Amino acid sequence: MRGNIKAGSFEISEPHVLKHRVRLSLFAWGLVVLAILVAAAPFIASDANTSTSAAPSDSDSSTPISEETRPGTSPGNSSPTPASVTPTELASSPTVASGNVAPLFLSDTEPVAAQGIGSHSTSATIDKVPYPHSVAQFQSRCSESGEPKQWEYSIGANYQSFSAWIGLDDNNRAADLSVTFEIYADGKPVYEKRVTAGAAIQAHIDVLNVRRLKLVSSFSISTNCNSFDEAVWGNAKFS
């Protein structure tokens, strides 16, 4: 049964009140939905950006990387191009020996004990062949003929081998001169060779675990003794 509602001096019918309440309810629900959408908007935008960045583009899926743009490669070759090394760089790079010790020229060090004069660092020539990293033991006068020249080096068991080109310097004046070269490892004789004027002879010995190496040269008695007779250990080095 429908009736009228009096409010002060006004009369409001029940259908009119019902419509008004429905409108208010719809408006309230609209506000709630709008608030929810406003609150969820940042999350929706973030999901959309993530999906866009994750999706591969046509260029990514179909176009390979150009070989010209790959660092360290050359056209037509997918493997890295090795860096160029000049001969000068190769020559200046030391080779590592046993125990991570680089080779050592005898001319770059000093003996810990020496008997007899000579040059610990010189450039010598044997049979017209130059040996820029050499040591030379001298015969200074006739009274020294036959007396050995002995130089001893401390190498601390750091190397595997010792090598040198032995011979008489081209400046020697005595044609009949000969020299006996000897090598001692920790006091034990390991090499001996008698040489005369002419081409150099290569001496090579094992010095693994050797701590002291002694080089000895003994000049023969010459009929023309002078201070220029030299026994040369050409390009002598430890490696």
Side-chain angles (χ1 to χ4, degrees):
M1 178 178 181
R2 296 181 179 178
N4 295 333
I5 300 174
K6 292 183 178 181
S9 58
F10 297 96
E11 290 186 0
I12 305 174
S13 62
E14 280 189 20
H16 184 74
V17 171
L18 184 60
K19 289 181 181 180
H20 186 66
R21 289 177 178 176
V22 170
R23 289 175 181 173
L24 289 176
S25 298
L26 292 176
F27 180 73
W29 278 108
L31 291 176
V32 171
V33 172
L34 179 62
I36 293 174
L37 292 175
V38 170
F43 300 98
I44 296 174
S46 175
D47 292 341
N49 292 336
T50 303
S51 300
T52 302
S53 61
S57 63
D58 294 339
S59 60
D60 291 339
S61 60
S62 61
T63 305
I65 300 176
S66 172
E67 290 185 348
E68 295 180 355
T69 63
R70 293 176 182 170
T73 61
S74 59
N77 182 10
S78 59
S79 59
T81 303
S84 60
V85 180
T86 64
T88 303
E89 292 173 337
L90 291 174
S92 61
S93 302
T95 304
V96 177
S98 62
N100 294 326
V101 178
L104 174 68
F105 281 108
L106 212 59
S107 58
D108 292 334
T109 186
E110 294 285 336
V112 295
Q115 177 182 328
I117 63 173
S119 174
H120 301 304
S121 179
T122 186
S123 178
T125 303
I126 304 174
D127 198 26
K128 299 180 181 180
V129 178
Y131 297 91
H133 303 284
S134 301
V135 298
Q137 296 166 319
F138 300 163
Q139 175 179 266
S140 62
R141 57 186 183 274
C142 286
S143 61
E144 287 188 356
S145 295
E147 296 179 4
K149 282 67 178 171
Q150 305 180 22
W151 293 351
E152 190 167 4
Y153 297 84
S154 177
I155 58 177
N158 291 322
Y159 301 93
Q160 291 184 333
S161 64
F162 170 78
S163 62
W165 291 92
I166 59 174
L168 304 180
D169 189 89
D170 287 349
N171 291 325
N172 291 336
R173 297 178 181 176
D176 58 344
L177 181 67
S178 66
V179 177
T180 300
F181 291 83
E182 299 174 83
I183 303 176
Y184 292 79
D186 289 334
K188 299 178 181 179
V190 293
Y191 182 87
E192 180 177 348
K193 186 70 175 180
R194 180 177 176 271
V195 301
T196 57
I201 299 173
Q202 187 178 35
H204 187 279
I205 64 167
D206 180 12
V207 295
L208 188 64
N209 299 322
V210 173
R211 296 185 175 276
R212 307 271 287 214
L213 194 78
K214 182 168 62 176
L215 306 182
V216 180
S217 61
S218 301
F219 290 80
S220 64
I221 297 176
S222 173
T223 58
N224 183 20
C225 300
N226 57 73
S227 59
F228 295 99
D229 293 340
E230 300 180 19
V232 176
W233 303 81
N235 289 354
K237 71 175 181 178
F238 299 104
S239 58

